[in-house]
Short mmCIF file of all heavy atoms in Angstrom, two decimals:
data_model
loop_
_atom_site.label_atom_id
_atom_site.label_comp_id
_atom_site.label_asym_id
_atom_site.label_seq_id
_atom_site.Cartn_x
_atom_site.Cartn_y
_atom_site.Cartn_z
N GLN A 1 118.69 252.43 22.37
CA GLN A 1 119.07 251.11 22.77
C GLN A 1 118.49 250.09 21.81
O GLN A 1 117.33 250.17 21.43
CB GLN A 1 118.57 250.80 24.18
CG GLN A 1 119.32 251.51 25.27
CD GLN A 1 118.73 251.15 26.63
OE1 GLN A 1 117.55 250.88 26.75
NE2 GLN A 1 119.58 251.14 27.64
N ALA A 2 119.29 249.11 21.48
CA ALA A 2 118.86 248.11 20.52
C ALA A 2 117.86 247.13 21.13
O ALA A 2 116.80 246.89 20.60
CB ALA A 2 120.07 247.37 19.98
N GLY A 3 118.22 246.55 22.26
CA GLY A 3 117.38 245.49 22.83
C GLY A 3 116.58 245.90 24.04
O GLY A 3 115.71 245.17 24.49
N GLY A 4 116.83 247.09 24.57
CA GLY A 4 116.15 247.48 25.80
C GLY A 4 116.78 246.77 26.98
O GLY A 4 117.68 245.96 26.84
N GLY A 5 116.30 247.05 28.15
CA GLY A 5 116.88 246.45 29.34
C GLY A 5 115.86 245.66 30.13
O GLY A 5 114.72 245.46 29.70
N PHE A 6 116.31 245.22 31.29
CA PHE A 6 115.45 244.44 32.15
C PHE A 6 114.25 245.27 32.60
O PHE A 6 113.12 244.76 32.67
CB PHE A 6 116.24 243.94 33.37
CG PHE A 6 115.41 243.16 34.34
CD1 PHE A 6 115.03 241.87 34.05
CD2 PHE A 6 114.99 243.74 35.53
CE1 PHE A 6 114.25 241.14 34.94
CE2 PHE A 6 114.21 243.02 36.42
CZ PHE A 6 113.85 241.73 36.12
N GLY A 7 114.48 246.54 32.88
CA GLY A 7 113.39 247.41 33.30
C GLY A 7 112.31 247.53 32.24
O GLY A 7 111.11 247.53 32.55
N ASP A 8 112.73 247.61 30.98
CA ASP A 8 111.76 247.69 29.88
C ASP A 8 110.95 246.40 29.78
O ASP A 8 109.74 246.43 29.54
CB ASP A 8 112.47 247.96 28.56
CG ASP A 8 113.07 249.35 28.50
OD1 ASP A 8 112.58 250.25 29.22
OD2 ASP A 8 114.05 249.53 27.73
N MET A 9 111.63 245.26 29.97
CA MET A 9 110.94 243.98 29.91
C MET A 9 109.93 243.86 31.05
O MET A 9 108.79 243.42 30.86
CB MET A 9 111.93 242.83 29.99
CG MET A 9 111.27 241.46 29.87
SD MET A 9 112.33 240.09 30.26
CE MET A 9 112.54 240.29 32.01
N LEU A 10 110.33 244.30 32.24
CA LEU A 10 109.45 244.24 33.40
C LEU A 10 108.25 245.17 33.22
O LEU A 10 107.12 244.80 33.52
CB LEU A 10 110.23 244.61 34.66
CG LEU A 10 109.54 244.39 35.98
CD1 LEU A 10 109.13 242.94 36.15
CD2 LEU A 10 110.45 244.82 37.11
N LYS A 11 108.52 246.35 32.70
CA LYS A 11 107.45 247.31 32.44
C LYS A 11 106.46 246.75 31.42
O LYS A 11 105.24 246.87 31.58
CB LYS A 11 108.05 248.61 31.93
CG LYS A 11 107.05 249.72 31.75
CD LYS A 11 107.74 250.93 31.15
CE LYS A 11 107.51 252.15 31.99
NZ LYS A 11 108.09 253.35 31.40
N SER A 12 106.96 246.10 30.40
CA SER A 12 106.11 245.49 29.38
C SER A 12 105.26 244.37 29.97
O SER A 12 104.07 244.26 29.66
CB SER A 12 106.97 244.95 28.24
OG SER A 12 106.19 244.26 27.31
N ALA A 13 105.85 243.53 30.82
CA ALA A 13 105.10 242.44 31.44
C ALA A 13 104.00 242.98 32.34
O ALA A 13 102.87 242.46 32.34
CB ALA A 13 106.05 241.53 32.22
N MET A 14 104.31 244.03 33.10
CA MET A 14 103.30 244.63 33.98
C MET A 14 102.18 245.27 33.16
O MET A 14 101.00 245.13 33.50
CB MET A 14 103.94 245.68 34.89
CG MET A 14 104.81 245.10 35.97
SD MET A 14 103.90 244.10 37.13
CE MET A 14 102.85 245.32 37.87
N SER A 15 102.55 245.94 32.10
CA SER A 15 101.56 246.58 31.24
C SER A 15 100.64 245.54 30.61
O SER A 15 99.42 245.72 30.55
CB SER A 15 102.27 247.39 30.15
OG SER A 15 101.33 247.93 29.26
N ASP A 16 101.23 244.43 30.17
CA ASP A 16 100.44 243.35 29.57
C ASP A 16 99.48 242.76 30.60
O ASP A 16 98.32 242.50 30.29
CB ASP A 16 101.36 242.27 29.01
CG ASP A 16 100.60 241.17 28.32
OD1 ASP A 16 99.75 241.47 27.45
OD2 ASP A 16 100.84 239.99 28.66
N ALA A 17 99.96 242.55 31.82
CA ALA A 17 99.11 241.99 32.87
C ALA A 17 97.95 242.93 33.18
O ALA A 17 96.80 242.47 33.35
CB ALA A 17 99.93 241.72 34.12
N MET A 18 98.21 244.22 33.23
CA MET A 18 97.15 245.19 33.50
C MET A 18 96.12 245.20 32.36
O MET A 18 94.92 245.24 32.60
CB MET A 18 97.74 246.59 33.68
CG MET A 18 98.57 246.75 34.94
SD MET A 18 97.59 246.64 36.43
CE MET A 18 96.65 248.12 36.30
N GLN A 19 96.62 245.16 31.12
CA GLN A 19 95.72 245.18 29.97
C GLN A 19 94.85 243.92 29.94
O GLN A 19 93.65 244.00 29.67
CB GLN A 19 96.53 245.30 28.66
CG GLN A 19 95.67 245.41 27.43
CD GLN A 19 94.77 246.62 27.44
OE1 GLN A 19 95.14 247.68 27.92
NE2 GLN A 19 93.58 246.48 26.90
N GLN A 20 95.45 242.78 30.23
CA GLN A 20 94.68 241.53 30.24
C GLN A 20 93.62 241.56 31.34
O GLN A 20 92.50 241.07 31.15
CB GLN A 20 95.62 240.33 30.43
CG GLN A 20 96.59 240.10 29.30
CD GLN A 20 95.90 239.75 28.00
OE1 GLN A 20 94.81 239.22 27.98
NE2 GLN A 20 96.55 240.07 26.90
N SER A 21 93.97 242.13 32.49
CA SER A 21 93.03 242.23 33.59
C SER A 21 91.85 243.14 33.23
O SER A 21 90.69 242.81 33.50
CB SER A 21 93.74 242.76 34.83
OG SER A 21 92.83 242.92 35.89
N LYS A 22 92.15 244.27 32.61
CA LYS A 22 91.08 245.18 32.18
C LYS A 22 90.18 244.53 31.13
O LYS A 22 88.97 244.71 31.15
CB LYS A 22 91.68 246.47 31.64
CG LYS A 22 92.27 247.35 32.72
CD LYS A 22 92.89 248.60 32.14
CE LYS A 22 93.57 249.41 33.24
NZ LYS A 22 94.22 250.61 32.70
N ASN A 23 90.80 243.76 30.23
CA ASN A 23 90.03 243.06 29.21
C ASN A 23 89.09 242.04 29.85
O ASN A 23 87.93 241.91 29.45
CB ASN A 23 90.97 242.38 28.21
CG ASN A 23 90.22 241.69 27.09
OD1 ASN A 23 89.20 242.18 26.63
ND2 ASN A 23 90.71 240.55 26.67
N ALA A 24 89.59 241.32 30.86
CA ALA A 24 88.75 240.35 31.55
C ALA A 24 87.58 241.03 32.24
O ALA A 24 86.44 240.55 32.18
CB ALA A 24 89.59 239.56 32.56
N GLU A 25 87.84 242.16 32.88
CA GLU A 25 86.77 242.91 33.54
C GLU A 25 85.72 243.36 32.54
O GLU A 25 84.51 243.29 32.81
CB GLU A 25 87.34 244.11 34.28
CG GLU A 25 88.14 243.75 35.51
CD GLU A 25 88.79 244.96 36.17
OE1 GLU A 25 88.49 246.11 35.77
OE2 GLU A 25 89.58 244.75 37.09
N THR A 26 86.18 243.82 31.38
CA THR A 26 85.26 244.26 30.34
C THR A 26 84.41 243.10 29.84
O THR A 26 83.19 243.24 29.65
CB THR A 26 86.04 244.88 29.16
OG1 THR A 26 86.79 245.99 29.64
CG2 THR A 26 85.11 245.35 28.06
N GLN A 27 85.04 241.95 29.63
CA GLN A 27 84.29 240.78 29.16
C GLN A 27 83.26 240.32 30.20
O GLN A 27 82.15 239.93 29.84
CB GLN A 27 85.26 239.63 28.84
CG GLN A 27 86.07 239.84 27.59
CD GLN A 27 85.21 239.87 26.34
OE1 GLN A 27 84.12 239.33 26.28
NE2 GLN A 27 85.73 240.52 25.30
N ILE A 28 83.63 240.38 31.48
CA ILE A 28 82.69 240.01 32.53
C ILE A 28 81.48 240.95 32.52
O ILE A 28 80.33 240.51 32.60
CB ILE A 28 83.38 240.00 33.91
CG1 ILE A 28 84.37 238.84 33.98
CG2 ILE A 28 82.36 239.91 35.03
CD1 ILE A 28 85.30 238.89 35.19
N ALA A 29 81.75 242.25 32.42
CA ALA A 29 80.66 243.23 32.39
C ALA A 29 79.78 243.02 31.16
O ALA A 29 78.55 243.10 31.25
CB ALA A 29 81.22 244.64 32.40
N ASN A 30 80.40 242.72 30.02
CA ASN A 30 79.63 242.47 28.81
C ASN A 30 78.77 241.21 28.95
O ASN A 30 77.64 241.17 28.46
CB ASN A 30 80.55 242.33 27.59
CG ASN A 30 81.13 243.65 27.16
OD1 ASN A 30 80.62 244.71 27.51
ND2 ASN A 30 82.21 243.61 26.40
N GLN A 31 79.28 240.19 29.60
CA GLN A 31 78.52 238.96 29.76
C GLN A 31 77.34 239.18 30.69
O GLN A 31 76.25 238.68 30.44
CB GLN A 31 79.45 237.86 30.31
CG GLN A 31 79.02 236.43 29.96
CD GLN A 31 77.88 235.92 30.80
OE1 GLN A 31 77.76 236.24 31.97
NE2 GLN A 31 77.02 235.12 30.20
N VAL A 32 77.56 239.96 31.75
CA VAL A 32 76.45 240.27 32.67
C VAL A 32 75.36 241.04 31.93
O VAL A 32 74.17 240.82 32.16
CB VAL A 32 76.97 241.07 33.89
CG1 VAL A 32 75.83 241.64 34.70
CG2 VAL A 32 77.85 240.18 34.76
N ALA A 33 75.78 241.90 31.00
CA ALA A 33 74.82 242.68 30.22
C ALA A 33 74.23 241.88 29.07
O ALA A 33 73.37 242.37 28.33
CB ALA A 33 75.49 243.95 29.68
N GLY A 34 74.71 240.64 28.88
CA GLY A 34 74.19 239.80 27.81
C GLY A 34 74.81 240.08 26.46
O GLY A 34 74.27 239.67 25.43
N LYS A 35 75.96 240.74 26.43
CA LYS A 35 76.60 241.11 25.17
C LYS A 35 77.80 240.24 24.83
O LYS A 35 78.43 240.46 23.81
CB LYS A 35 77.05 242.57 25.22
CG LYS A 35 75.92 243.55 25.39
CD LYS A 35 76.44 244.96 25.49
CE LYS A 35 75.32 245.94 25.72
NZ LYS A 35 75.82 247.31 25.89
N ALA A 36 78.14 239.27 25.67
CA ALA A 36 79.32 238.43 25.41
C ALA A 36 78.99 236.98 25.76
O ALA A 36 78.13 236.70 26.58
CB ALA A 36 80.52 238.91 26.23
N GLN A 37 79.70 236.09 25.11
CA GLN A 37 79.55 234.66 25.37
C GLN A 37 80.39 234.27 26.58
O GLN A 37 81.42 234.87 26.85
CB GLN A 37 80.00 233.85 24.16
CG GLN A 37 79.19 234.11 22.91
CD GLN A 37 77.77 233.57 23.06
OE1 GLN A 37 77.56 232.51 23.63
NE2 GLN A 37 76.80 234.33 22.55
N LEU A 38 79.97 233.23 27.27
CA LEU A 38 80.69 232.76 28.44
C LEU A 38 82.10 232.29 28.09
O LEU A 38 83.04 232.49 28.85
CB LEU A 38 79.91 231.64 29.13
CG LEU A 38 80.43 231.17 30.47
CD1 LEU A 38 80.51 232.33 31.44
CD2 LEU A 38 79.56 230.06 31.03
N ILE A 39 82.27 231.71 26.91
CA ILE A 39 83.60 231.24 26.49
C ILE A 39 84.57 232.41 26.33
O ILE A 39 85.76 232.29 26.65
CB ILE A 39 83.52 230.40 25.19
CG1 ILE A 39 84.86 229.72 24.90
CG2 ILE A 39 83.09 231.24 24.02
CD1 ILE A 39 85.22 228.64 25.85
N ASP A 40 84.06 233.56 25.88
CA ASP A 40 84.91 234.75 25.77
C ASP A 40 85.36 235.23 27.14
O ASP A 40 86.50 235.64 27.32
CB ASP A 40 84.16 235.88 25.04
CG ASP A 40 83.83 235.53 23.60
OD1 ASP A 40 84.59 234.74 23.00
OD2 ASP A 40 82.82 236.04 23.09
N VAL A 41 84.47 235.15 28.11
CA VAL A 41 84.80 235.54 29.48
C VAL A 41 85.85 234.60 30.05
O VAL A 41 86.85 235.03 30.63
CB VAL A 41 83.55 235.57 30.38
CG1 VAL A 41 83.92 235.84 31.83
CG2 VAL A 41 82.55 236.60 29.88
N ALA A 42 85.65 233.30 29.86
CA ALA A 42 86.59 232.31 30.38
C ALA A 42 87.97 232.48 29.75
O ALA A 42 88.99 232.39 30.44
CB ALA A 42 86.06 230.91 30.13
N THR A 43 88.01 232.75 28.46
CA THR A 43 89.28 232.96 27.77
C THR A 43 89.99 234.20 28.28
O THR A 43 91.19 234.18 28.53
CB THR A 43 89.05 233.08 26.25
OG1 THR A 43 88.40 231.89 25.78
CG2 THR A 43 90.35 233.27 25.51
N ALA A 44 89.25 235.28 28.47
CA ALA A 44 89.84 236.52 28.96
C ALA A 44 90.36 236.37 30.39
O ALA A 44 91.46 236.83 30.71
CB ALA A 44 88.82 237.66 28.89
N VAL A 45 89.61 235.69 31.23
CA VAL A 45 90.04 235.48 32.61
C VAL A 45 91.28 234.58 32.65
O VAL A 45 92.23 234.84 33.40
CB VAL A 45 88.90 234.89 33.47
CG1 VAL A 45 89.40 234.42 34.82
CG2 VAL A 45 87.79 235.92 33.64
N SER A 46 91.29 233.56 31.82
CA SER A 46 92.45 232.66 31.76
C SER A 46 93.69 233.41 31.29
O SER A 46 94.79 233.21 31.82
CB SER A 46 92.14 231.49 30.82
OG SER A 46 93.26 230.66 30.69
N SER A 47 93.53 234.26 30.31
CA SER A 47 94.65 235.06 29.80
C SER A 47 95.18 236.01 30.86
O SER A 47 96.40 236.16 31.03
CB SER A 47 94.22 235.84 28.56
OG SER A 47 95.27 236.60 28.05
N ALA A 48 94.28 236.63 31.60
CA ALA A 48 94.69 237.53 32.68
C ALA A 48 95.42 236.77 33.78
O ALA A 48 96.43 237.24 34.31
CB ALA A 48 93.47 238.25 33.26
N GLU A 49 94.94 235.57 34.09
CA GLU A 49 95.59 234.76 35.11
C GLU A 49 96.99 234.36 34.69
O GLU A 49 97.94 234.41 35.49
CB GLU A 49 94.75 233.52 35.39
CG GLU A 49 95.32 232.64 36.48
CD GLU A 49 94.47 231.41 36.73
OE1 GLU A 49 93.54 231.12 35.96
OE2 GLU A 49 94.78 230.71 37.71
N THR A 50 97.15 233.99 33.43
CA THR A 50 98.47 233.62 32.91
C THR A 50 99.44 234.80 32.96
O THR A 50 100.60 234.64 33.36
CB THR A 50 98.35 233.09 31.47
OG1 THR A 50 97.47 231.97 31.46
CG2 THR A 50 99.70 232.68 30.92
N SER A 51 98.98 235.97 32.59
CA SER A 51 99.82 237.16 32.64
C SER A 51 100.24 237.48 34.08
O SER A 51 101.40 237.81 34.34
CB SER A 51 99.09 238.37 32.05
OG SER A 51 98.88 238.19 30.68
N LEU A 52 99.31 237.35 35.01
CA LEU A 52 99.62 237.61 36.41
C LEU A 52 100.62 236.59 36.95
O LEU A 52 101.55 236.95 37.67
CB LEU A 52 98.35 237.60 37.25
CG LEU A 52 98.54 237.89 38.74
CD1 LEU A 52 99.14 239.28 38.94
CD2 LEU A 52 97.22 237.76 39.48
N GLN A 53 100.47 235.34 36.56
CA GLN A 53 101.42 234.32 36.99
C GLN A 53 102.82 234.59 36.45
O GLN A 53 103.81 234.35 37.13
CB GLN A 53 100.94 232.93 36.57
CG GLN A 53 99.76 232.44 37.37
CD GLN A 53 99.20 231.13 36.86
OE1 GLN A 53 99.56 230.65 35.79
NE2 GLN A 53 98.30 230.54 37.63
N THR A 54 102.90 235.10 35.23
CA THR A 54 104.20 235.45 34.65
C THR A 54 104.86 236.56 35.45
O THR A 54 106.05 236.48 35.77
CB THR A 54 104.03 235.88 33.17
OG1 THR A 54 103.45 234.81 32.44
CG2 THR A 54 105.35 236.28 32.56
N VAL A 55 104.10 237.59 35.78
CA VAL A 55 104.64 238.70 36.57
C VAL A 55 105.08 238.21 37.95
O VAL A 55 106.15 238.60 38.45
CB VAL A 55 103.62 239.84 36.68
CG1 VAL A 55 104.06 240.89 37.68
CG2 VAL A 55 103.39 240.48 35.31
N MET A 56 104.31 237.34 38.55
CA MET A 56 104.66 236.80 39.86
C MET A 56 105.94 235.96 39.79
O MET A 56 106.78 236.03 40.69
CB MET A 56 103.51 235.96 40.42
CG MET A 56 102.24 236.74 40.67
SD MET A 56 102.36 237.88 42.02
CE MET A 56 102.26 236.75 43.37
N ALA A 57 106.11 235.21 38.73
CA ALA A 57 107.32 234.40 38.56
C ALA A 57 108.54 235.30 38.39
O ALA A 57 109.60 235.02 38.96
CB ALA A 57 107.17 233.47 37.36
N ILE A 58 108.40 236.37 37.63
CA ILE A 58 109.50 237.32 37.46
C ILE A 58 109.85 237.95 38.81
O ILE A 58 111.02 238.05 39.17
CB ILE A 58 109.13 238.41 36.42
CG1 ILE A 58 109.04 237.80 35.03
CG2 ILE A 58 110.16 239.55 36.44
CD1 ILE A 58 108.46 238.73 33.99
N ARG A 59 108.83 238.34 39.55
CA ARG A 59 109.06 238.92 40.87
C ARG A 59 109.80 237.96 41.79
O ARG A 59 110.76 238.33 42.47
CB ARG A 59 107.73 239.31 41.51
CG ARG A 59 107.92 239.95 42.89
CD ARG A 59 106.74 239.78 43.76
NE ARG A 59 106.55 238.37 44.04
CZ ARG A 59 105.63 237.90 44.86
NH1 ARG A 59 104.79 238.72 45.44
NH2 ARG A 59 105.50 236.62 45.07
N ASP A 60 109.38 236.71 41.79
CA ASP A 60 110.03 235.71 42.64
C ASP A 60 111.50 235.52 42.26
O ASP A 60 112.36 235.39 43.13
CB ASP A 60 109.30 234.38 42.55
CG ASP A 60 107.92 234.42 43.19
OD1 ASP A 60 107.64 235.38 43.95
OD2 ASP A 60 107.12 233.50 42.91
N GLN A 61 111.80 235.55 40.97
CA GLN A 61 113.18 235.39 40.51
C GLN A 61 114.02 236.61 40.89
O GLN A 61 115.19 236.46 41.26
CB GLN A 61 113.23 235.17 39.00
CG GLN A 61 112.72 233.82 38.58
CD GLN A 61 113.54 232.68 39.14
OE1 GLN A 61 114.76 232.74 39.16
NE2 GLN A 61 112.86 231.65 39.60
N VAL A 62 113.45 237.79 40.81
CA VAL A 62 114.18 239.00 41.20
C VAL A 62 114.48 238.97 42.70
O VAL A 62 115.60 239.29 43.12
CB VAL A 62 113.37 240.27 40.83
CG1 VAL A 62 113.95 241.51 41.48
CG2 VAL A 62 113.32 240.43 39.32
N ILE A 63 113.51 238.58 43.50
CA ILE A 63 113.74 238.49 44.95
C ILE A 63 114.80 237.45 45.26
O ILE A 63 115.70 237.69 46.08
CB ILE A 63 112.42 238.18 45.68
CG1 ILE A 63 111.49 239.39 45.62
CG2 ILE A 63 112.67 237.78 47.14
CD1 ILE A 63 110.08 239.13 46.12
N SER A 64 114.74 236.33 44.59
CA SER A 64 115.74 235.27 44.80
C SER A 64 117.14 235.75 44.42
O SER A 64 118.11 235.51 45.16
CB SER A 64 115.36 234.04 43.98
OG SER A 64 116.33 233.04 44.11
N ALA A 65 117.25 236.45 43.30
CA ALA A 65 118.56 236.97 42.88
C ALA A 65 119.08 238.00 43.88
O ALA A 65 120.27 238.01 44.21
CB ALA A 65 118.45 237.59 41.49
N TYR A 66 118.21 238.87 44.36
CA TYR A 66 118.60 239.87 45.35
C TYR A 66 119.11 239.21 46.62
O TYR A 66 120.14 239.59 47.17
CB TYR A 66 117.42 240.80 45.66
CG TYR A 66 117.72 241.79 46.75
CD1 TYR A 66 118.48 242.91 46.50
CD2 TYR A 66 117.23 241.58 48.05
CE1 TYR A 66 118.76 243.82 47.51
CE2 TYR A 66 117.51 242.48 49.06
CZ TYR A 66 118.27 243.60 48.78
OH TYR A 66 118.54 244.48 49.79
N GLN A 67 118.38 238.20 47.09
CA GLN A 67 118.79 237.50 48.30
C GLN A 67 120.14 236.80 48.10
O GLN A 67 120.97 236.78 49.01
CB GLN A 67 117.73 236.49 48.72
CG GLN A 67 116.49 237.16 49.26
CD GLN A 67 115.36 236.19 49.53
OE1 GLN A 67 115.34 235.07 49.02
NE2 GLN A 67 114.39 236.62 50.33
N GLU A 68 120.35 236.26 46.93
CA GLU A 68 121.62 235.59 46.64
C GLU A 68 122.77 236.60 46.63
O GLU A 68 123.86 236.32 47.15
CB GLU A 68 121.55 234.87 45.28
CG GLU A 68 122.75 234.02 44.97
CD GLU A 68 122.87 232.82 45.90
OE1 GLU A 68 121.86 232.32 46.39
OE2 GLU A 68 124.02 232.39 46.11
N ILE A 69 122.54 237.76 46.07
CA ILE A 69 123.56 238.81 46.05
C ILE A 69 123.87 239.27 47.47
O ILE A 69 125.03 239.49 47.82
CB ILE A 69 123.11 239.99 45.17
CG1 ILE A 69 123.13 239.58 43.70
CG2 ILE A 69 123.99 241.22 45.40
CD1 ILE A 69 122.47 240.58 42.77
N MET A 70 122.85 239.39 48.30
CA MET A 70 123.06 239.84 49.68
C MET A 70 123.85 238.82 50.50
O MET A 70 124.51 239.18 51.47
CB MET A 70 121.72 240.14 50.36
CG MET A 70 120.98 241.31 49.76
SD MET A 70 121.95 242.83 49.67
CE MET A 70 122.10 243.21 51.39
N ARG A 71 123.82 237.56 50.13
CA ARG A 71 124.57 236.52 50.84
C ARG A 71 126.04 236.44 50.41
O ARG A 71 126.82 235.77 51.05
CB ARG A 71 123.92 235.16 50.63
CG ARG A 71 122.71 234.95 51.49
CD ARG A 71 122.22 233.56 51.31
NE ARG A 71 121.45 233.55 50.05
CZ ARG A 71 120.32 232.95 49.86
NH1 ARG A 71 119.79 232.23 50.80
NH2 ARG A 71 119.68 233.03 48.72
N MET A 72 126.39 237.09 49.32
CA MET A 72 127.76 237.05 48.83
C MET A 72 128.70 237.78 49.79
O MET A 72 128.36 238.85 50.28
CB MET A 72 127.88 237.68 47.45
CG MET A 72 127.27 236.90 46.35
SD MET A 72 127.53 237.78 44.80
CE MET A 72 126.77 236.63 43.67
N PRO A 73 129.88 237.20 50.04
CA PRO A 73 130.84 237.92 50.90
C PRO A 73 131.41 239.13 50.16
O PRO A 73 131.60 239.10 48.96
CB PRO A 73 131.90 236.87 51.18
CG PRO A 73 131.79 235.88 50.08
CD PRO A 73 130.36 235.90 49.61
N VAL A 74 131.68 240.16 50.93
CA VAL A 74 132.22 241.38 50.32
C VAL A 74 133.73 241.40 50.35
O VAL A 74 134.43 240.98 51.15
CB VAL A 74 131.67 242.63 51.04
CG1 VAL A 74 132.25 243.89 50.44
CG2 VAL A 74 130.17 242.64 50.97
#
């Protein structure tokens, strides 16, 4: 496939959100251990939050589209 499909895009967004979350957890653990700066932790947490918000927005749009399809007359 040249461009991939919606499923591939959704899988990529979920994978990115999971990776950002793991990175934030790692940065928090490093900061507690004294190995990371607070700004690095804040940046990682902010990035994870943005990725999660993107996934949530995609989910909301999918639910909205599904509900709209279900309201269509057959």
